[in-house]
Amino acid sequence: MNGLSVLSERNFRRFFVGQSASLLGDGMVMVALAFAVLDLTRSPASLGYVLAARSVPMVAVMLIGGVIADRFPRRRIMVTADVARFLGQATMAALLISGHARIWELAALQALHGVATGTFNPASTGLVPSIVTGGRLQQANALRGLSISIGSIAGPAAAGVLVATASPGWAVAADAATFAISAIMLARLRLPAHLPPPAQSFLRDLREGWNEFSSRTWVWTIVTVASFTNMLFSAFLVLGPAVSEHSLGGPAAWATIVTAIGAGSVIGGIAALHMRPAHPLRTGVLALALCPLPTLGLGTHVPAIAVAGLAILCGIGLTVFNTLLETALQHHVPDKSLSRVSAYDWFGSLAGQPIGQAAAGPLAAGLGTYPILWLAGIAQLLIALVTLAVPAVRRLPAGGDRERPTPVTARQES
């Protein structure tokens, strides 16, 4: 199958196995963390604060992570981040399983997780072009999307079983183990020697990355859209567990809905393996317009099975959008500044998320859960559709003249 030919490349195969493992754990911990916090506090607002405790440090260190990833070996950065996340999640699991967890401890450990992820993500985007051939970049990104999707299905399903039969702490423990697997697989990559750029100040590095980012209208427009979309989608993530517990059937219903997003992502990932749109961002933004559907479903009091059906469509749209955007960045942005541009992308895309996470609970308490879900869903839909009016987004061609690093086979990155 041509869409899977990228797996013949050994480095990518190892990378893919490690990332698939850690993403499976991520799928488990989203369900586990939600019900761990609700068990302790019975408060959706507390869940929002814990999620924000991870998001804020992640966003705060993202730009620093981009500079570091363009200066130092990206694999080394990613291994260090995975080890930190393993230690943090293992500690949280021990606290939950022993029954001694407190909200401030969960928030602090999630902050550690956020810092590690903020350094990992820009390095990851920059690493992929060095472990696959250029013509297979979209395949590689589509398969990464598929691994997210499979983790989003298997992870919440496994977490739902563990939460119902044991405790949320055991799902968090499984998540910790997956970061150890990822670190081991990353350590086994064999890469060209890292050639550091000329020495210059951190601020100049940051400024050069900003120039690359801001000079491309399609980049900063899409990042702005993603930022508002993530902020508004937080209403679904924060209020969804409470709605599920009160009126849809409890943890099993929420696990089903989250799993449905993963199922849709699998479909979207398979589609992204084969689609070759002439204007990738036009296709991606149309796909993103499917994202608010499950939020609107929750807001209209439909049954859990109907929300799950809408979540499938959301998953399709998110995976297609993310795959096409990441491939566009890797094709059109030079390697020497790719991690910094990616950092601005991650920073901007996630900047609104902690605001949404922290605000969703208090707003729902003041205005009502269902009105907030409706407002968030409609706003997401309008933002996605308005984006198509921007010519730079609508007309961006596939491919590009991306500069590539010169392979050095005599030495390997340490």
Side-chain angles (χ1 to χ4, degrees), residues 218-219 221-226 229 275 277 279-292 316-325 380-390 392-396:
W218 62 272
V219 176
T221 298
I222 287 293
V223 169
T224 302
V225 170
T229 297
M275 63 173 52
H279 301 283
L281 292 187
R282 183 187 305 176
T283 302
V285 171
L286 286 171
L288 187 65
L290 299 173
C291 180
I316 293 172
L318 285 173
T319 299
V320 169
F321 171 78
N322 288 331
T323 299
L324 295 179
L325 172 58
Q380 286 178 71
L381 182 61
L382 291 175
I383 288 169
L385 295 178
V386 167
T387 307
L388 292 174
V390 180
V393 172
R394 193 173 62 250
R395 298 172 185 170
L396 184 78

Coordinates of all heavy atoms in Angstrom, one line a residue, residues 218-219 221-226 229 275 277 279-292 316-325 380-390 392-396:
W218 N -0.6 33.2 5.5 CA -1.3 32.0 5.7 C -1.0 31.3 7.1 O -1.9 30.7 7.7 CB -1.1 31.0 4.6 CG 0.3 30.5 4.4 CD1 1.3 31.1 3.6 CD2 0.9 29.3 5.0 NE1 2.4 30.4 3.7 CE2 2.2 29.3 4.5 CE3 0.4 28.4 5.8 CZ2 3.1 28.2 4.9 CZ3 1.3 27.3 6.2 CH2 2.6 27.3 5.7
V219 N 0.3 31.5 7.5 CA 0.7 30.9 8.8 C 0.0 31.6 9.9 O -0.7 31.0 10.8 CB 2.2 30.9 9.0 CG1 2.6 30.4 10.3 CG2 2.9 30.1 7.9
T221 N -2.5 33.6 10.0 CA -4.0 33.5 10.0 C -4.5 32.2 10.5 O -5.4 32.2 11.4 CB -4.5 33.7 8.5 OG1 -4.1 35.0 8.1 CG2 -6.0 33.6 8.5
I222 N -3.9 31.1 10.1 CA -4.3 29.8 10.5 C -4.1 29.6 12.0 O -4.9 29.0 12.8 CB -3.6 28.7 9.7 CG1 -4.2 28.6 8.3 CG2 -3.7 27.3 10.4 CD1 -5.6 28.1 8.2
V223 N -2.9 30.1 12.5 CA -2.6 30.0 13.9 C -3.6 30.8 14.8 O -4.1 30.3 15.8 CB -1.2 30.5 14.2 CG1 -0.9 30.7 15.7 CG2 -0.2 29.5 13.6
T224 N -4.1 32.0 14.3 CA -5.1 32.8 15.0 C -6.4 32.0 15.1 O -7.0 31.9 16.1 CB -5.3 34.1 14.3 OG1 -4.1 34.8 14.3 CG2 -6.3 34.9 15.0
V225 N -6.8 31.4 14.0 CA -8.0 30.6 13.9 C -7.9 29.4 14.9 O -8.8 29.1 15.6 CB -8.3 30.1 12.5 CG1 -9.4 29.0 12.5 CG2 -8.6 31.3 11.6
A226 N -6.7 28.7 14.9 CA -6.6 27.6 15.8 C -6.6 28.0 17.2 O -7.1 27.2 18.1 CB -5.2 26.9 15.4
T229 N -10.2 28.5 18.1 CA -10.9 27.2 18.1 C -10.6 26.4 19.3 O -11.5 25.8 19.9 CB -10.5 26.4 16.8 OG1 -10.9 27.1 15.6 CG2 -11.1 25.0 16.8
M275 N -5.1 11.7 0.1 CA -5.6 12.9 -0.5 C -4.4 13.8 -0.9 O -3.4 13.8 -0.3 CB -6.6 13.7 0.3 CG -6.0 14.2 1.6 SD -7.1 15.3 2.5 CE -8.6 14.4 2.6
P277 N -4.7 17.4 -2.2 CA -5.4 18.6 -2.6 C -4.4 19.6 -3.2 O -3.3 19.8 -2.7 CB -6.0 19.1 -1.3 CG -5.1 18.6 -0.2 CD -4.7 17.3 -0.7
H279 N -4.9 22.7 -3.1 CA -4.8 23.8 -2.1 C -5.1 23.3 -0.8 O -6.3 23.2 -0.3 CB -5.8 24.9 -2.5 CG -5.6 25.5 -3.9 ND1 -4.6 26.4 -4.1 CD2 -6.3 25.3 -5.0 CE1 -4.7 26.7 -5.4 NE2 -5.6 26.1 -6.0
P280 N -4.1 22.8 -0.1 CA -4.3 22.0 1.2 C -5.0 22.8 2.3 O -5.8 22.2 3.0 CB -2.9 21.6 1.6 CG -2.0 22.6 0.9 CD -2.6 22.9 -0.4
L281 N -4.7 24.0 2.5 CA -5.4 24.8 3.6 C -6.8 25.0 3.3 O -7.6 25.1 4.3 CB -4.6 26.1 3.9 CG -3.2 25.9 4.4 CD1 -2.6 27.2 4.9 CD2 -3.2 24.9 5.6
R282 N -7.2 25.2 2.1 CA -8.6 25.3 1.8 C -9.4 24.1 2.2 O -10.4 24.1 2.9 CB -8.8 25.5 0.3 CG -10.3 25.8 -0.2 CD -10.4 25.8 -1.7 NE -9.5 26.8 -2.3 CZ -9.4 26.9 -3.6 NH1 -10.1 26.2 -4.5 NH2 -8.6 27.9 -4.1
T283 N -8.8 22.9 1.9 CA -9.4 21.6 2.3 C -9.4 21.5 3.8 O -10.3 21.1 4.5 CB -8.7 20.5 1.7 OG1 -8.7 20.6 0.2 CG2 -9.3 19.1 2.1
G284 N -8.2 21.9 4.4 CA -8.1 21.8 5.9 C -9.1 22.6 6.6 O -9.6 22.2 7.6
V285 N -9.3 23.8 6.2 CA -10.2 24.7 6.9 C -11.7 24.2 6.8 O -12.5 24.3 7.8 CB -10.1 26.2 6.4 CG1 -11.2 27.0 7.0 CG2 -8.7 26.7 6.8
L286 N -12.0 23.7 5.6 CA -13.4 23.1 5.5 C -13.5 21.9 6.4 O -14.6 21.7 7.0 CB -13.6 22.7 4.0 CG -13.8 23.8 3.0 CD1 -13.8 23.3 1.6 CD2 -15.2 24.5 3.3
A287 N -12.5 21.2 6.6 CA -12.5 20.0 7.5 C -12.7 20.5 8.9 O -13.4 19.9 9.7 CB -11.3 19.2 7.3
L288 N -12.0 21.6 9.3 CA -12.0 22.2 10.6 C -13.5 22.6 11.0 O -13.8 22.6 12.2 CB -11.1 23.4 10.7 CG -10.9 23.9 12.1 CD1 -10.2 22.9 13.1 CD2 -10.0 25.2 12.1
A289 N -14.3 23.0 10.0 CA -15.6 23.4 10.3 C -16.5 22.3 10.9 O -17.6 22.6 11.4 CB -16.3 23.9 9.0
L290 N -16.0 21.0 10.8 CA -16.7 19.9 11.5 C -16.5 19.9 13.0 O -17.2 19.2 13.7 CB -16.3 18.6 10.9 CG -16.6 18.4 9.4 CD1 -15.9 17.1 8.9 CD2 -18.1 18.4 9.1
C291 N -15.5 20.6 13.5 CA -15.0 20.5 14.9 C -16.1 20.9 15.9 O -16.2 20.2 16.9 CB -13.8 21.4 15.1 SG -13.1 21.4 16.7
P292 N -16.9 21.9 15.6 CA -17.9 22.3 16.7 C -19.1 21.4 16.8 O -19.9 21.6 17.7 CB -18.3 23.7 16.2 CG -18.1 23.8 14.8 CD -16.9 22.9 14.5
I316 N -12.7 13.4 12.2 CA -12.3 13.5 10.8 C -11.7 14.8 10.5 O -10.6 15.0 9.9 CB -13.4 13.1 9.9 CG1 -13.9 11.7 10.1 CG2 -13.1 13.4 8.4 CD1 -15.2 11.3 9.3
G317 N -12.4 15.9 10.8 CA -12.0 17.2 10.5 C -10.7 17.6 11.1 O -9.8 18.2 10.5
L318 N -10.6 17.3 12.4 CA -9.3 17.7 13.1 C -8.1 17.1 12.5 O -7.1 17.7 12.4 CB -9.5 17.4 14.6 CG -10.4 18.3 15.4 CD1 -10.5 17.7 16.8 CD2 -9.9 19.7 15.5
T319 N -8.2 15.8 12.2 CA -7.0 15.1 11.7 C -6.6 15.5 10.3 O -5.5 15.7 10.0 CB -7.3 13.6 11.7 OG1 -7.5 13.1 13.1 CG2 -6.1 12.8 11.2
V320 N -7.6 15.7 9.5 CA -7.3 16.2 8.1 C -6.7 17.6 8.2 O -5.7 17.9 7.5 CB -8.6 16.2 7.2 CG1 -8.3 17.0 5.9 CG2 -9.0 14.8 6.9
F321 N -7.3 18.5 9.0 CA -6.7 19.9 9.2 C -5.3 19.8 9.7 O -4.4 20.5 9.1 CB -7.6 20.6 10.1 CG -7.1 22.0 10.5 CD1 -7.1 23.1 9.7 CD2 -6.4 22.1 11.8 CE1 -6.6 24.3 10.0 CE2 -5.9 23.4 12.1 CZ -6.0 24.4 11.3
N322 N -5.1 19.1 10.8 CA -3.7 19.1 11.4 C -2.7 18.5 10.4 O -1.5 19.0 10.4 CB -3.8 18.3 12.7 CG -4.5 19.0 13.8 OD1 -4.5 20.2 13.8 ND2 -5.1 18.3 14.7
T323 N -3.0 17.4 9.7 CA -2.1 16.8 8.8 C -1.7 17.8 7.7 O -0.5 17.9 7.3 CB -2.7 15.5 8.2 OG1 -3.0 14.6 9.2 CG2 -1.7 14.9 7.2
L324 N -2.7 18.4 7.1 CA -2.4 19.3 6.0 C -1.6 20.5 6.4 O -0.8 21.0 5.7 CB -3.7 19.7 5.3 CG -4.5 18.5 4.6 CD1 -5.8 19.0 4.0 CD2 -3.6 17.8 3.5
L325 N -1.9 21.0 7.6 CA -1.2 22.2 8.1 C 0.2 21.9 8.4 O 1.1 22.6 8.0 CB -1.9 22.8 9.4 CG -1.1 23.9 10.1 CD1 -0.9 25.1 9.2 CD2 -1.9 24.3 11.4
Q380 N -17.2 28.7 16.9 CA -16.2 27.9 16.2 C -16.5 27.8 14.7 O -15.7 27.9 13.9 CB -16.1 26.5 16.8 CG -15.4 26.4 18.2 CD -15.5 25.0 18.7 OE1 -14.8 24.1 18.1 NE2 -16.3 24.8 19.7
L381 N -17.8 27.5 14.5 CA -18.2 27.3 13.1 C -18.0 28.6 12.3 O -17.5 28.6 11.1 CB -19.7 26.9 13.1 CG -20.3 26.6 11.7 CD1 -19.6 25.5 11.0 CD2 -21.8 26.3 11.8
L382 N -18.4 29.8 12.8 CA -18.3 31.0 12.1 C -16.8 31.4 11.8 O -16.4 31.8 10.7 CB -18.9 32.1 12.9 CG -20.5 32.1 13.0 CD1 -21.0 33.2 13.9 CD2 -21.1 32.2 11.6
I383 N -15.9 31.1 12.8 CA -14.5 31.4 12.6 C -13.9 30.6 11.5 O -13.2 31.1 10.7 CB -13.8 31.2 13.9 CG1 -14.1 32.3 15.0 CG2 -12.2 31.2 13.7 CD1 -13.6 32.0 16.4
A384 N -14.2 29.3 11.4 CA -13.7 28.5 10.4 C -14.2 28.9 9.0 O -13.4 29.0 8.1 CB -14.1 27.0 10.6
L385 N -15.4 29.3 8.9 CA -15.9 29.7 7.6 C -15.4 31.0 7.1 O -15.1 31.2 5.9 CB -17.5 29.7 7.6 CG -18.1 28.3 7.8 CD1 -19.7 28.5 7.9 CD2 -17.8 27.3 6.8
V386 N -15.2 32.0 8.0 CA -14.7 33.3 7.7 C -13.2 33.2 7.2 O -12.8 33.9 6.3 CB -14.8 34.2 8.9 CG1 -14.0 35.5 8.7 CG2 -16.2 34.6 9.1
T387 N -12.5 32.2 7.7 CA -11.1 32.0 7.3 C -10.9 31.8 5.8 O -9.9 32.2 5.2 CB -10.5 30.8 8.1 OG1 -10.7 31.0 9.5 CG2 -9.0 30.7 7.8
L388 N -11.9 31.2 5.2 CA -11.8 30.9 3.7 C -11.8 32.2 2.9 O -11.5 32.1 1.7 CB -13.0 30.0 3.3 CG -12.9 28.6 3.9 CD1 -14.2 27.8 3.5 CD2 -11.7 27.8 3.3
A389 N -12.2 33.3 3.5 CA -12.2 34.6 2.8 C -10.7 35.1 2.6 O -10.5 36.1 1.8 CB -13.0 35.6 3.5
V390 N -9.8 34.6 3.3 CA -8.4 35.0 3.2 C -7.7 34.4 2.0 O -7.5 33.2 2.0 CB -7.6 34.7 4.5 CG1 -6.2 35.2 4.4 CG2 -8.3 35.3 5.7
A392 N -4.6 34.2 1.0 CA -3.3 33.5 1.2 C -3.6 32.1 1.8 O -2.8 31.1 1.5 CB -2.5 34.2 2.2
V393 N -4.7 31.9 2.5 CA -5.1 30.6 3.0 C -5.8 29.8 1.9 O -5.4 28.6 1.6 CB -6.1 30.7 4.2 CG1 -6.6 29.4 4.6 CG2 -5.4 31.4 5.4
R394 N -6.7 30.4 1.2 CA -7.4 29.7 0.2 C -6.6 29.2 -1.0 O -6.9 28.2 -1.6 CB -8.6 30.6 -0.3 CG -9.6 30.0 -1.1 CD -10.8 30.9 -1.4 NE -10.4 32.1 -2.2 CZ -10.3 33.3 -1.7 NH1 -10.6 33.6 -0.5 NH2 -10.0 34.3 -2.5
R395 N -5.5 30.0 -1.3 CA -4.8 29.7 -2.6 C -3.4 29.1 -2.3 O -2.7 28.8 -3.3 CB -4.6 31.1 -3.3 CG -5.9 31.7 -3.8 CD -5.6 33.1 -4.3 NE -6.8 33.8 -4.7 CZ -6.9 35.1 -5.0 NH1 -5.8 35.8 -5.0 NH2 -8.0 35.7 -5.3
L396 N -3.0 28.8 -1.1 CA -1.7 28.2 -0.8 C -1.6 26.9 -1.6 O -2.4 26.0 -1.5 CB -1.5 27.9 0.6 CG -0.1 27.4 1.0 CD1 0.9 28.5 1.0 CD2 -0.1 26.7 2.3

